Amino acid sequence: MRDEGDHSRYSRTGEALAPAPERERAFRKPPPLHGRESHIRIFDADNEARRVYGETQRSRDGSLPKEEHGPSAVLKALDPFWTRGIIPEDEREGDEQD
Amino acid sequence: MTTTEASDYTEMINAVAQCPVNLEEVDLFEPGAQEHWGEAYKILHAESPVQRIPGEGSTPDTDGFVITKYQDIYDIVRDPWTFPQPGFAGAEGNSTAGMSTEDGEASALADAMALNTLRPNLELHKAHRIELTDPWVGATGAPRHRPMVEKFVDQLIDEWIDRDPAEIEFVEDFAAPLPQLVMTTILGWPLEDLEMLRKWGQAQVRRFVYGKGHRNIMSDEEELENAKDLGDFMAYVQEQVTHKRENPGDDMTSFLTQVTYEAMNRKLTDNEVIGVLFGMHIGGLETTQYAIAAEAQLLAEKPELFQELKADPSKVRFFAEEGMRIHAPTQGLSTRMAAKDVEIRGTPIPKGSILHLRYGAANLDDEEFGCPADVDLARPNTGRHMTFSQGIRVCPGAGISRLEQNIAWERLTQRLDTLEFVPGKNDFRHQPGIMLGLWELHMQFTKATS
């Protein structure tokens, strides 16, 4: 079967047999949710969001904003309702910052 | 609502869409589509979780995208820098036309809501919530309203519990007046104005009911007609603000006129107070009404569930969360845009695109909630639904709405022995738009014997 590489134009000139693949743009992804990889790719190489969140949300590790709905960390601790699913395991640490 | 020449919505109200059986037949915004959203979500999840709406982005040369998967919406609402509210700081080259937000900054109310200039950035957005709204309607402030809400719930039940025959139209007799009474009391406005306030509340949400497409666009004539009602409402709120500045009481309007907003180290202007109050009024009425009515429907569909709550009232809070998850009052909002080029599940979404976040679909995503159509009081992630959205712009009134729903079902399950549909009297139709609200719900009941 004939493919792109067999095309006489490429053969004749001796150039690359196929166009150079477009260089993949730099991107970042949101952190995983319950261990599931995010399906979002954000094309900003300088990770601007982390810098901004670092300033405005006081995230200690520069991560995205934490869950903000629900009561204070004290109330959450007193009432199992809020820890039964409302605040996932991976977000409980650091609640105090809110 | 009043129907005039400019706004004859009969066709929209009566429209019945076919249940979609494949992707080509899915149109979430088609008149009548609301009766089959659940089926449409299944198809979108499986075949097109990022659905493009050509030409409906922030400018004519950009697109809209309907996002339906839980994880994608979760990621989007937690990154307000990449996915800002159209018109928000950081969102370049965008327009606010036809946009709305979880917390009520709807451009349908542009004149009024533009007055709220208190949160031009994310930091002040958070301060606004913590200092101004949380103490009254947030998760921390709402619980102090429990005695007041209990009083109104019992008062409403008293009005019909001895009726013969024992039948009610649940929406008009309970679900609608409860949030009206509660919010009017919290705001400190006279209860004798309730009828007028209800009319104005309907004007506030009219765009989301009768607006077209994912951006809820109304015609110029409809906008003009609605503006008259909203103008009257604004004048009314101004009167209340003026009165409360002179005669402060224990209510939210008085509080806002007196408080020193620490984030800006100053008092609020009248316009700023009116802006906050507009948001409270639009957010606090219909949505809670729809939730309570949908929960009544769920309980009538499963009488054993009603008995389970009656036997163990501690389960009511889990039931309310499940009710809100399965029948989210606000099914979707076009309140985010892409401020950068992004890609979601392989679909390129250029900067400037508008994202319609379909919270109701996220709630029924079986990757997040197993058997999503079932009420499961032991679900391990009960409260993680998207009904109030999440992240920094989560609904500020979630606390008071939850409180009302919880008290409603605590009291109804104790004061009634049964709550069922009146046979043959319900068509279970919902109003059009992006909200999911039952028009009416005819129910029969048995008064509790003890």
Side-chain angles (χ1 to χ4, degrees), chain A residues 2 6-7 12 18 22 25 39 41 46 49 59 61-62 64 70 75 79 86-88 96-97:
Chain A
R2 199 175 147 89
D6 296 324
H7 196 285
R12 195 171 54 244
E22 188 183 348
R25 297 170 68 186
H39 297 276
R41 302 205 302 177
D46 63 350
S59 297
D61 60 357
L64 300 179
L75 284 177
D79 185 345
I86 292 273
I87 309 297
E96 293 75 9
Q97 72 184 4

Side-chain angles (χ1 to χ4, degrees), chain B residues 61-74:
Chain B
D61 59 341
T62 57
D63 298 331
F65 291 86
V66 179
I67 312 293
T68 51
K69 292 290 283 181
Y70 182 95
Q71 185 174 8
D72 298 341
I73 294 177
Y74 177 98

Side-chain angles (χ1 to χ4, degrees), chain B residues 345-379:
Chain B
R345 296 181 189 266
T347 300
I349 298 183
K351 175 179 173 179
S353 304
I354 293 294
L355 305 182
H356 178 82
L357 304 186
R358 203 71 190 182
Y359 301 117
N363 286 350
L364 297 175
D365 182 350
D366 62 9
E367 273 195 279
E368 185 65 22
F369 303 103
C371 299
D374 294 349
V375 176
D376 179 356
L377 303 184
R379 200 176 281 283

Side-chain angles (χ1 to χ4, degrees), chain B residues 98-152:
Chain B
M99 297 305 143
S100 55
T101 72
E102 291 90 325
D103 47 12
E105 285 177 64
S107 68
L109 315 170
D111 288 347
M113 304 310 290
L115 301 177
N116 191 348
T117 52
L118 296 172
R119 40 187 177 178
N121 58 46
L122 298 175
E123 197 164 5
L124 285 174
H125 199 100
K126 186 172 178 179
H128 183 281
R129 175 189 312 280
I130 293 171
E131 289 190 47
L132 303 182
T133 60
D134 271 0
W136 292 90
V137 296
T140 47
R144 70 192 170 93
H145 300 305
R146 174 170 275 275
M148 179 263 287
V149 177
E150 284 176 338
K151 181 190 80 175
F152 284 132

Side-chain angles (χ1 to χ4, degrees), chain B residues 69-250:
Chain B
K69 292 290 283 181
Y70 182 95
Q71 185 174 8
D72 298 341
I73 294 177
Y74 177 98
D75 287 338
I76 289 166
V77 296
R78 278 176 167 65
D79 186 351
W81 192 254
T82 304
F83 303 104
Q85 161 193 349
F88 203 67
E92 300 164 21
N94 64 77
S95 156
T96 56
M99 297 305 143
S100 55
T101 72
E102 291 90 325
D103 47 12
E105 285 177 64
S107 68
L109 315 170
D111 288 347
M113 304 310 290
L115 301 177
N116 191 348
T117 52
L118 296 172
R119 40 187 177 178
N121 58 46
L122 298 175
E123 197 164 5
L124 285 174
H125 199 100
K126 186 172 178 179
H128 183 281
R129 175 189 312 280
I130 293 171
E131 289 190 47
L132 303 182
T133 60
D134 271 0
W136 292 90
V137 296
T140 47
R144 70 192 170 93
H145 300 305
R146 174 170 275 275
M148 179 263 287
V149 177
E150 284 176 338
K151 181 190 80 175
F152 284 132
V153 166
D154 276 328
Q155 192 175 302
L156 288 169
I157 297 173
D158 287 342
E159 286 177 14
W160 45 258
I161 195 162
D162 291 315
R163 193 176 287 177
D164 185 18
E167 291 183 10
I168 50 172
E169 199 286 276
F170 190 80
V171 175
E172 279 303 307
D173 288 334
F174 190 82
L178 178 61
Q180 287 280 340
L181 289 163
V182 169
M183 282 311 297
T184 305
T185 302
I186 289 174
L187 295 174
W189 300 344
L191 289 180
E192 49 265 39
D193 295 341
L194 269 181
E195 195 175 330
M196 213 159 48
L197 288 167
R198 185 168 188 198
K199 180 184 161 203
W200 289 331
Q202 288 170 342
Q204 285 189 290
V205 298
R206 193 162 294 150
R207 165 181 291 279
F208 305 113
V209 178
Y210 297 106
K212 307 282 193 307
H214 77 103
R215 291 180 296 178
N216 317 115
I217 294 170
M218 294 202 299
S219 69
D220 290 345
E221 291 78 14
E222 290 164 344
E223 289 281 14
L224 190 64
E225 181 192 349
N226 215 33
K228 287 179 197 159
D229 282 343
L230 293 176
D232 291 345
F233 182 43
M234 194 187 291
Y236 173 89
V237 179
Q238 175 66 68
E239 276 176 30
Q240 296 300 320
V241 169
T242 302
H243 175 70
K244 296 292 184 180
R245 276 206 193 278
E246 299 300 317
N247 309 282
D250 181 19

Side-chain angles (χ1 to χ4, degrees), chain A residues 46-65:
Chain A
D46 63 350
N47 205 346
E48 192 174 22
R50 282 189 178 239
R51 179 175 57 77
V52 172
Y53 292 139
E55 290 168 3
T56 62
Q57 303 295 314
R58 302 190 303 274
S59 297
R60 286 169 297 208
D61 60 357
S63 62
L64 300 179

Side-chain angles (χ1 to χ4, degrees), chain A residues 1-8 10 17:
Chain A
M1 187 186 227
R2 199 175 147 89
D3 64 21
E4 281 281 342
D6 296 324
H7 196 285
S8 58
Y10 296 116
L17 295 182

Side-chain angles (χ1 to χ4, degrees), chain B residues 265-343:
Chain B
N265 193 30
R266 65 170 175 80
K267 303 275 190 189
L268 306 186
T269 66
D270 276 9
N271 283 350
E272 288 167 344
V273 173
I274 292 170
V276 179
L277 293 173
F278 254 66
M280 292 299 101
H281 199 252
I282 189 176
L285 303 181
E286 265 78 3
T287 46
T288 302
Q289 168 191 324
Y290 301 156
I292 294 173
E295 288 154 11
Q297 183 179 356
L298 284 173
L299 288 175
E301 286 167 351
K302 290 184 181 301
E304 68 276 14
L305 194 52
F306 186 91
Q307 298 308 325
E308 189 176 349
L309 301 184
K310 188 174 177 66
D312 183 358
S314 73
K315 293 181 176 177
V316 163
R317 61 197 322 196
F318 301 104
F319 165 70
E321 298 300 324
E322 281 289 88
M324 285 189 279
R325 182 184 64 75
I326 294 171
H327 295 299
T330 303
Q331 287 281 304
L333 287 172
S334 290
T335 51
R336 296 293 194 288
M337 67 177 296
K340 309 174 192 308
D341 290 344
V342 301
E343 186 183 286

